[in-house]
Amino acid sequence: PLSATSASGINFAKYRTLKSFLILYGVMSVLILTLLGVLYYQYAKTLMLSSHRLAMQLESESYVPKLSDWLEQDRNLSTFPKDLAYKTALYGYDKKAIVSRLHTREINFNENIYLYNNHIYLVIPLAPYDMGDFYLIFETKDDGLWRQQALEITLVFGAVLFLILAGVGFFLSRLILRPMNEAITLLDDFIKDTTHELNTPVSAILTNIEALHEGELPPSVEKKLRRIEIASRTISTLYDDLTYLILNHDVAVHNTPLNLSHLIHERLEYFRHRIEQKKISLELTIDTDVILIIDRTKATRIVDNLLSNAIKYNQMNGTISITLHNTLLCVRDNGIGIPSEMIDRVFERYTRADKSVGGFGIGLNIVAMIAKEYHLNITIESKEKVGTKICVEWE
């Protein structure tokens, strides 16, 4: 089943453009925010390590003399000097532990100060103190307060930047879609102007055709007159669609019990010449007196557009099958069908499955609009070069 809500949605090309822009802009925004967050985290970490380095180096000034005395004496491991502020370790020139009170024996001698397993380590070469190729290691536990503070600041500033980027994105999206919106507005204005100009000449043509039918005409003239009538009724149907599309919000709605069985026979008679022109055969399974509470104009638009498409996209000597039951109306043809990638889009305004056939691409959009209004369910089945079946179901 295809939901009718797609009919009131944005034009597919416009939606695709907006979707592509939002995806690209969203990915870029996330990358920018992530990069800024990582950079600030590294900055906070560096600032924290710098603070600890200063404190540890100050502490080492008082500890190194004690260590020097120990190295000059018996170097008894039990008398290895302790530091009140930090845990300490002494490593030899081969970078192996001589004495260690640290949580780990894996020391990174390539770093002066670093964070590992929630502990901070300061590596102090003792050669500058004339104490040989020894390394003094200070260790202290990281309280994590800097990390929590960095996270809070990142979230606050990240939220502010996100709102700024969202505002910029909204402005850019409007800027990008402006040409497309202007084109759609131009097309809508053109349709309004065209609709206004169509009414008088089409009505005059149909009135005069009916007057001519009252007299006796030669077969050749009758044939030409029928072609004129078919073309005029096609334009008249298009005019009705355009008028509904433009004025549907302003026209009073009269929902009354409507005999759909009578309406379908009436509209088949309206399209009779077009059906005969393409030599289409009809297969009718129409129950008697099927009633639906609906506005007659809107019901006519549904039936007319389903029939018009079944005729327009059918083949010569084709078949149209119409089924009407208590809660179901189906119109099936064996025409050109709809490409699979287009099925989900045929109810969008200005979308045509086959652009070689005339029309504005508004007929099924109107059907979907009315279906949504009356909570009717639309299903469509189609296969290229096999045909199309559209059903409207109600409760």
Side-chain angles (χ1 to χ4, degrees):
L2 183 65
S3 171
T5 56
S6 62
S8 59
I10 195 168
N11 175 272
F12 178 75
K14 183 177 176 181
Y15 169 78
R16 184 176 58 186
T17 301
L18 181 61
K19 180 180 178 182
S20 300
F21 168 76
L22 290 178
I23 290 175
L24 179 61
Y25 187 81
V27 171
M28 290 182 60
S29 298
V30 170
L31 290 177
I32 291 172
L33 291 175
T34 301
L35 178 61
L36 291 176
V38 170
L39 290 175
Y40 182 76
Y41 176 85
Q42 293 298 330
Y43 167 77
K45 180 180 176 181
T46 302
L47 192 64
M48 177 272 297
L49 290 176
S50 298
S51 175
H52 279 284
R53 179 192 289 113
L54 179 61
M56 287 178 166
Q57 287 176 342
L58 289 174
E59 183 67 20
S60 69
E61 295 298 324
S62 62
Y63 180 81
V64 168
K66 299 178 184 178
L67 181 61
S68 177
D69 292 343
W70 181 81
L71 287 173
E72 292 175 356
Q73 295 173 2
D74 58 357
R75 299 188 181 185
N76 189 338
L77 298 181
S78 62
T79 61
F80 183 78
K82 295 182 180 181
D83 186 83
L84 297 177
Y86 303 102
K87 292 184 177 181
T88 57
L90 181 66
Y91 279 69
Y93 68 93
D94 56 359
K95 299 179 180 179
K96 291 184 179 180
I98 298 174
V99 183
S100 177
R101 294 192 176 96
L102 309 181
H103 284 84
T104 181
R105 289 181 177 269
E106 297 179 6
I107 301 299
N108 184 2
F109 290 92
N110 296 321
E111 297 286 344
N112 174 244
I113 188 169
Y114 64 93
L115 177 65
Y116 177 72
N117 281 346
N118 294 323
H119 287 81
I120 300 167
Y121 297 92
L122 177 69
V123 180
I124 305 174
L126 295 178
Y129 295 93
D130 296 326
M131 297 172 62
D133 293 329
F134 293 101
Y135 294 91
L136 172 64
I137 313 298
F138 274 11
E139 176 195 82
T140 185
K141 186 173 178 58
D142 176 27
D143 57 14
L145 293 177
W146 68 273
R147 188 181 290 108
Q148 181 180 352
Q149 185 180 18
L151 179 61
E152 292 174 353
I153 294 175
T154 300
L155 290 176
V156 171
F157 281 92
V160 173
L161 286 175
F162 176 79
L163 292 176
I164 294 173
L165 289 173
V168 173
F170 177 75
F171 173 77
L172 289 177
S173 65
R174 290 176 63 89
L175 196 64
I176 290 172
L177 293 177
R178 182 182 296 171
M180 195 171 296
N181 287 329
E182 291 175 351
I184 293 175
T185 301
L186 184 63
L187 180 57
D188 284 338
D189 290 341
F190 168 75
I191 291 175
K192 290 179 182 178
D193 295 339
T194 303
T195 302
H196 179 73
E197 297 298 330
L198 276 176
N199 186 29
T200 302
V202 170
S203 298
I205 292 171
L206 290 174
T207 301
N208 284 280
I209 288 174
E210 291 175 1
L212 288 172
H213 277 308
E214 294 177 359
E216 291 292 333
L217 297 172
S220 59
V221 176
E222 181 71 32
K223 186 175 182 180
K224 293 177 182 177
L225 192 62
R226 182 175 297 179
R227 290 176 180 171
I228 296 173
E229 182 177 359
I230 291 171
S232 300
R233 290 192 181 277
T234 301
I235 297 174
S236 180
T237 302
L238 179 59
Y239 168 79
D240 290 337
D241 281 343
L242 294 174
T243 302
Y244 176 83
L245 196 63
I246 296 169
L247 301 176
N248 74 90
H249 295 297
D250 301 323
V251 176
V253 177
H254 302 286
N255 293 324
T256 57
L258 180 66
N259 192 317
L260 289 182
S261 306
H262 291 171
L263 179 65
I264 290 174
H265 285 295
E266 176 187 313
R267 302 319 292 171
L268 283 172
E269 178 62 24
Y270 179 83
F271 289 107
R272 177 170 58 86
H273 292 319
R274 289 178 61 184
I275 293 171
E276 291 175 351
Q277 184 188 40
K278 296 188 75 168
K279 299 179 181 179
I280 294 173
S281 58
L282 297 175
E283 296 178 356
L284 305 180
T285 308
I286 300 176
D287 291 352
T288 305
D289 296 331
V290 175
I291 304 298
L292 176 64
I293 299 177
I294 190 173
D295 180 80
R296 181 180 178 84
T297 299
K298 296 184 178 183
T300 302
R301 297 272 46 79
I302 291 178
V303 174
D304 278 12
N305 279 298
L306 295 182
L307 291 177
S308 178
N309 281 352
I311 298 169
K312 183 191 307 180
Y313 296 106
N314 214 325
Q315 56 186 337
M316 290 295 294
N317 299 304
T319 301
I320 295 177
S321 299
I322 302 175
T323 302
L324 177 64
H325 294 313
N326 191 35
T327 60
L328 180 69
L329 168 64
C330 291
V331 178
R332 179 172 59 84
D333 65 70
N334 60 346
I336 60 176
I338 303 172
S340 57
E341 66 273 12
M342 291 290 295
I343 290 180
D344 291 339
R345 296 174 48 199
V346 293
F347 290 101
E348 295 175 4
R349 189 175 298 180
Y350 309 132
T351 298
R352 289 182 292 164
D354 188 345
K355 296 183 179 180
S356 63
V357 182
F360 285 105
I362 61 174
L364 289 181
N365 174 256
I366 291 174
V367 172
M369 288 171 59
I370 298 171
K372 180 183 178 182
E373 180 181 351
Y374 287 92
H375 306 290
L376 310 178
N377 184 45
I378 304 177
T379 57
I380 181 168
E381 301 172 9
S382 187
K383 189 174 181 181
E384 284 189 276
K385 299 181 181 179
V386 175
T388 301
K389 178 182 179 182
I390 300 179
C391 293
V392 181
E393 189 175 8
W394 57 92
E395 296 181 356

